[in-house]
Amino acid sequence: MPVTTTNRARHLLAAVRVAGGYSLATYAKAVAERAAALGYGHMAFRREKVARWEAGVEPEMPAQLAMADLHGVDPEQVRARGWPGWLLLALPGPDVLAPFAPEVTLSALDDLTADPARAAGAPLLPASVLTALITNWTAHVQNAIAHGISGGYVGVEVSTAIHARLTALWHLDDSLGGTACTTSARTDLKMVTKLLRHARHTGQLTTDLHFLAAEYARFLGWAEFDAGNTSGAQRAWHAALRASAEAADPAHSAYLLANLALACVYDNQPGMGADLLATARDIAGTRTTPLVAAMIDTWRVRATAATGDAKQAAHLLAQAESAFERSRAGDDNPAWAYWMCRPSHMAETGRAFLDLGDPATAESLLADGLAALKPGAMRDRVLYLTWIATAQARHGDLDAAAETATTAMDIAAAIESGRCTTLLADLAGELEPHRAAHPIGAVLDRLDSDH
């Protein structure tokens, strides 16, 4: 009867031994007998020896070759993969390091669904094996992309890999700012464009490649906007709108217009921004999730407040909050909406109340939003802090404004965002009338030297 265990095997050898029905002692004896039969001489077969192997001591090569023969593993694989990686070949199920191919994929899927109990006792894969697995997968996807660019057929693995790169870029922008991301976005967009032009693809994959082109172009526009290059951003958004039309994704089309609209607000064209956001909301209509509707309406609050329409801004904020309350974790939200938080916690909402002449409410909302930010959102942290300092200065709390502004400058020094640089320059203008106050004078001197 096989040996059973309720504990996770800590070493691949332990998993192999248990799967074969061996105790420490019987395994030591079986390996010694196999070594003798192979002509490697007589080995001691104390259970302590196997226990040391499972604790991390690497067996001598004759012992490894005896184990491999015991489990039917090719000795060449022992030498090629090394200890303990070759032991994966002695375990049930498909080889983790097998080439990426359709038949291996099906075998892995069959294995995954066949015996859920087996996973409970499976060992953790060594770091070297995980590294090799990811390296092999990456090489396979890169080869598939190269094959597609050369005119070959591309499959879903290419789309999956490009989506993963895109997601990483979104979060890099959160941490480093748009300037640092423009080159990567442009390079990946060039790759997607080549796939659209040269690769063979059909149906949903064609649609998805157009979406990827639209989203990379949208993101490039956003990164250029954040870097302070609005004309470059508009050029990117023009291309994004064309690619989005091919993808026929109303929510993403609305998101594109919302990006363009917010840039208009920052460039002192709030009326144009409000009109574009109203169009975005109409495009999204009822074909999107409450979370996306809340996002668009929140940016409408900022645009409308910038035009001076306090009543409409308040109405839109209530509408955004209502939509947000209807959103649920199970909604089919687009991946690009990952950053959306409660509308009243959005930086743009706090800024709207500054535009409406209510710095106390602005500071309160911005402070709540700042507290809710994820740790990696460094660029947004600067936005919140800069506008909080502005609110504090406007209602006369100069010591607090100086302290907040200093924190904003400290964080801004580690990111590359032209938008943050501009906002800090605007903050300097807010603080200038108070230069005679000692803490404010020190902040202004630093702002002057940094910019």
Side-chain angles (χ1 to χ4, degrees), residues 50-416:
V50 180
R52 286 197 300 273
W53 293 340
E54 294 181 7
V57 175
E58 182 174 345
E60 297 291 334
M61 185 54 68
Q64 291 191 46
L65 293 172
M67 288 183 230
D69 192 73
L70 181 64
H71 298 295
V73 175
D74 184 345
E76 290 303 314
Q77 290 296 321
V78 175
R79 297 183 178 91
R81 297 197 178 196
W83 180 267
W86 70 261
L87 289 168
L88 289 167
L89 299 174
L91 286 171
D95 175 13
V96 172
L97 299 180
F100 283 83
E103 62 273 16
V104 180
T105 298
L106 291 173
S107 178
L109 293 172
D110 285 341
D111 177 69
L112 182 63
T113 57
D115 186 4
R118 190 168 72 205
L124 297 176
L125 295 176
S128 59
V129 172
L130 285 173
T131 300
L133 175 63
I134 298 304
T135 300
N136 292 347
W137 176 77
T138 302
H140 170 74
V141 172
Q142 288 173 339
N143 290 337
I145 290 172
H147 178 66
I149 289 173
S150 299
Y153 177 79
V154 290
V156 70
E157 77 278 7
V158 167
S159 171
T160 300
I162 298 173
H163 275 284
R165 290 169 68 97
L166 180 60
T167 300
L169 200 55
W170 290 337
H171 292 288
L172 193 66
D173 170 64
D174 294 338
S175 298
L176 300 182
T179 304
C181 298
T182 55
T183 299
S184 293
R186 195 171 281 109
T187 299
D188 281 7
L189 179 56
K190 185 176 182 180
M191 174 182 65
V192 174
T193 304
K194 285 183 176 180
L195 287 171
L196 276 169
R197 177 171 285 121
H198 300 296
R200 287 184 289 118
H201 45 78
T202 57
Q204 183 56 44
L205 183 58
T206 299
T207 300
D208 194 49
L209 285 172
H210 277 110
F211 166 79
L212 285 166
E215 175 51 18
Y216 264 113
R218 192 251 3 133
F219 175 81
L220 177 58
W222 177 261
E224 291 281 23
F225 162 63
D226 189 62
N229 180 16
T230 304
S231 60
Q234 290 181 345
R235 181 166 173 260
W237 287 328
H238 162 243
L241 286 167
R242 290 188 178 279
S244 181
E246 298 298 325
D249 182 337
H252 191 257
S253 298
Y255 188 37
L256 275 168
L257 280 184
N259 277 230
L260 181 58
L262 190 62
C264 288
V265 175
Y266 274 78
D267 286 333
N268 298 314
Q269 302 177 73
M272 174 64 73
D275 289 345
L276 286 172
L277 282 161
T279 301
R281 189 68 182 83
D282 289 342
I283 289 172
T286 58
R287 295 172 292 180
T288 189
T289 63
L291 187 72
V292 172
M295 180 272 292
I296 297 171
D297 281 340
T298 301
W299 283 1
R300 291 176 73 191
V301 172
R302 170 75 197 281
T304 305
T307 68
D309 190 342
K311 182 177 180 181
Q312 177 66 358
H315 168 73
L316 288 169
L317 180 56
Q319 185 170 290
E321 287 283 339
S322 177
F324 185 82
E325 289 296 337
R326 294 197 305 276
S327 65
R328 296 289 183 269
D331 288 347
D332 188 20
N333 291 312
W336 46 258
Y338 72 95
W339 53 267
M340 180 61 193
C341 62
R342 177 171 291 281
S344 59
H345 288 174
M346 293 265 286
E348 303 301 334
T349 303
R351 174 68 217 195
F353 278 88
L354 283 175
D355 292 338
L356 293 172
D358 188 353
T361 299
E363 181 182 0
S364 176
L365 294 176
L366 289 164
D368 288 344
L370 180 64
L373 272 185
K374 295 179 180 179
M378 303 310 292
R379 191 256 320 285
D380 282 357
R381 201 167 295 276
V382 176
L383 301 184
Y384 279 89
L385 288 166
T386 301
W387 286 333
I388 288 172
T390 300
Q392 291 166 334
R394 288 187 183 181
H395 62 69
D397 193 349
L398 299 182
D399 287 343
E403 182 178 352
T404 304
T406 299
T407 304
M409 287 187 288
D410 289 343
I411 298 172
I415 62 175
E416 298 179 68

